[in-house]
Amino acid sequence: MTSMTSTLWTASHQFSGRTARAVAALGGIPIQQPANYEHFVDNKKPEFLSKFPHGKVPAFEQPDGFKLFEGTAIIRYVAGLNPNVGLLGKNPREAALIDQWMHLSELEVDANTHLSFLLLNGSITPYNKSIHNTFIERQRRALRTLNDHLSTRTFFVGERITLADIYIASQICRAATITFDAAARTEFYHLIRHLETIINQPQLKDVFQSIKFVEEALQYVPPPKEKELNPVPPKAEKKRKDKEAEEEEKFDVSPEPKAKNALDDLPKSPFNLEDWKRQYSNRDTRGPGGSLEWFYNNFDPQGFSLWRVDFKYNEELTQIFMSSNQIGGFFNRLEASRKYLFGSVGVLGVTNNCAVTGALILRGLDVRSVVEVAPDWESYSYKKLDISNEEDRAFFEAALAWDLEIDGKKWADGKNFK
């Protein structure tokens, strides 16, 4: 064990740096962080780059000049500075098992946390729901493996804390701010128990401090469309325009007027969809004076139609909250048809055995003319409902009242498009 105080460069938000600090604290290895370190500034300076050419943190230096960068290399080295603590295991087999669990967590849990975050904020590619779901599914598969392993033991390897425990706990802390929400905490409760065991070690409390879990996993929020109201035309430049600019000006054309929606040309209907949306929002759905009573008194079957909508690929659905988020995404992509459409769609069933279904009220008699604005509209099937038919009427009412049950699957969550 060394008594020399080493230096660790890291940013306050960096989880790999926190892991290194935790390993040092548990191993009794003295380290210090440079005072007033400013990330993205100090690590770009020549004096830093002369030591760490890639400019990355965490970065580690001992008083004798030995230097390391990359988080995993640093924590493994620091963990070995005090062999008596046993963070690297007691024998080659334990060392290999520690590596096994660390690599699984790094490549399947932490990597997908990071990729999800980058996808959500548009850093790697325009948002894609299918890709996002793939990241989440891969992460949850690994979380399930980790959780099952801990169902019969306190620590990942052996009977005492090893590097694997600190490493994985730190990565769960990171996931807790992005993907590891209330539903995940309920499902993977052995991981939560393990996490609390690690972060509440006396030597580690100051390193981890309090963890702020998200209640719901972060979801994509489309950027608001920028609209400039009453724009002020720029003042014309008084300087002489060159010949090229004058030539370009000759070919300026006005933008084409926005195409009119064919639904606007339908005969006027006595049924006002916006009035219906208000009634649905402000009244109970069922019973005397309820919104359904208002609907039946005012509905115009010549100007509007009712449809059942079902997701075609229910076998791909897993978590209830993810299926509900999928409905929200579908509704977001229907935004261009908001003035022509009302929807009540829900998730029926339980985790790993659920289905997405619901009812639509839309302008006109053709569903495609309303829903094809959503690029994924063909991922759903549509069946026209006839409210004079008892079965269709019961489905329609239950979908709006959020008490629909099909084949033993009860309504678990839902969303409205209004």
Side-chain angles (χ1 to χ4, degrees):
M1 176 178 174
T2 180
S3 60
M4 300 184 296
T5 299
S6 301
T7 302
L8 177 71
W9 287 265
T10 183
S12 59
H13 63 274
Q14 190 175 44
F15 287 87
S16 55
R18 182 163 65 181
T19 307
R21 289 166 51 215
V23 170
L26 202 61
I29 307 301
I31 62 170
Q32 64 181 2
Q33 294 178 250
N36 304 318
Y37 169 76
E38 186 177 355
H39 195 42
F40 294 127
V41 176
D42 292 343
N43 60 316
K44 304 301 180 184
K45 292 180 178 178
E47 52 268 33
F48 185 91
L49 294 174
S50 66
K51 297 180 178 181
F52 308 103
H54 202 54
K56 287 183 67 176
V57 296
F60 175 84
E61 183 179 19
Q62 288 187 301
D64 63 359
F66 178 71
K67 293 178 282 290
L68 280 174
F69 61 89
E70 290 297 336
T72 303
I74 293 169
I75 65 170
R76 179 175 294 283
Y77 177 74
V78 174
L81 292 177
N82 188 356
N84 293 330
V85 178
L87 292 178
L88 296 180
K90 295 181 294 186
N91 53 56
R93 288 187 175 183
E94 284 196 356
L97 289 170
I98 290 168
D99 282 347
Q100 166 189 281
W101 293 114
M102 286 174 58
H103 284 302
L104 175 67
S105 182
E106 178 183 17
L107 297 176
E108 300 293 341
V109 176
D110 196 52
N112 285 302
T113 297
H114 186 57
L115 288 170
S116 295
F117 179 74
L118 294 178
L119 183 65
L120 287 168
N121 65 25
S123 297
I124 52 176
T125 185
Y127 180 75
N128 182 293
K129 182 68 174 177
S130 177
I131 293 175
H132 189 192
N133 284 343
T134 298
F135 292 158
I136 296 299
E137 288 299 320
R138 289 180 66 89
Q139 182 185 70
R140 286 185 173 271
R141 180 168 176 258
L143 289 171
R144 193 170 296 112
T145 299
L146 297 174
N147 187 73
D148 290 347
H149 180 70
L150 289 172
S151 65
T152 58
R153 49 183 55 81
T154 303
F155 304 112
F156 275 97
V157 180
E159 302 300 325
R160 59 194 298 182
I161 293 177
T162 66
L163 184 58
D165 298 296
I166 302 173
Y167 195 77
I168 294 171
S170 184
Q171 292 178 347
I172 296 299
C173 286
R174 183 187 193 193
T177 66
I178 301 169
T179 59
F180 204 72
D181 59 8
R185 297 196 295 277
T186 300
E187 181 178 357
F188 305 120
Y189 51 89
H190 295 302
L191 269 173
I192 292 297
R193 183 260 305 159
H194 173 267
L195 174 64
E196 292 176 347
T197 298
I198 302 305
I199 66 176
N200 285 308
Q201 295 295 311
Q203 307 97 310
L204 302 184
K205 283 186 176 182
D206 289 340
V207 177
F208 286 99
Q209 298 179 356
S210 60
I211 303 173
K212 295 181 179 179
F213 287 95
V214 292
E215 283 304 306
E216 293 187 5
L218 300 187
Q219 296 298 321
Y220 176 67
V221 178
K225 295 180 180 179
E226 297 182 1
K227 294 182 180 179
E228 187 177 358
L229 300 178
N230 301 321
V232 179
K235 294 182 179 179
E237 294 183 9
K238 293 184 179 179
K239 64 181 182 180
R240 193 174 190 174
K241 296 180 179 178
D242 59 28
K243 185 175 181 180
E244 182 180 352
E246 290 176 355
E247 288 299 317
E248 285 183 0
E249 199 170 54
K250 293 178 183 178
F251 294 96
D252 281 348
V253 293
S254 300
E256 293 184 10
K258 188 175 180 180
K260 187 177 181 180
N261 194 309
L263 294 168
D264 294 327
D265 293 329
L266 292 175
K268 187 173 181 180
S269 171
F271 180 75
N272 187 304
L273 188 62
E274 295 306 312
D275 284 349
W276 155 249
K277 292 177 181 180
R278 284 190 289 272
Q279 298 299 324
Y280 181 81
S281 297
N282 297 324
R283 300 187 185 199
D284 290 337
T285 306
R286 296 186 185 274
S291 60
L292 280 171
E293 181 180 289
W294 185 95
F295 177 82
Y296 290 132
N297 289 335
N298 292 272
F299 182 61
D300 168 27
Q302 280 71 50
F304 287 81
S305 54
L306 310 179
W307 296 80
R308 172 174 173 167
V309 57
D310 290 275
F311 184 56
K312 292 180 179 178
Y313 311 106
N314 289 319
E315 68 279 1
E316 297 179 1
L317 302 177
T318 54
Q319 302 296 319
I320 298 296
F321 82 94
M322 291 173 62
S323 304
S324 182
N325 289 338
Q326 177 174 297
I327 298 170
F330 180 47
F331 282 175
N332 286 338
R333 293 181 284 278
L334 287 169
E335 179 62 34
S337 286
R338 184 171 294 276
K339 64 184 288 189
Y340 313 111
L341 177 66
F342 168 87
S344 182
V345 179
V347 185
L348 279 61
V350 295
T351 298
N352 295 321
N353 183 25
C354 56
V356 168
T357 187
L360 305 177
I361 303 171
L362 55 87
R363 186 72 165 105
L365 306 180
D366 174 38
V367 67
R368 177 169 181 169
S369 60
V370 177
V371 301
E372 68 178 353
V373 297
D376 56 340
W377 74 276
E378 291 181 300
S379 295
Y380 297 81
S381 62
Y382 306 88
K383 173 182 177 292
K384 194 170 185 179
L385 297 174
D386 176 5
I387 52 177
S388 66
N389 176 285
E390 185 177 345
E391 185 178 345
D392 283 0
R393 186 184 182 106
F395 177 91
F396 174 72
E397 292 182 354
L400 269 60
W402 286 24
D403 54 17
L404 182 64
E405 181 176 348
I406 299 177
D407 298 331
K409 294 184 175 71
K410 296 183 178 180
W411 190 282
D413 196 9
K415 293 184 183 296
N416 290 124
F417 185 85
K418 55 186 179 180

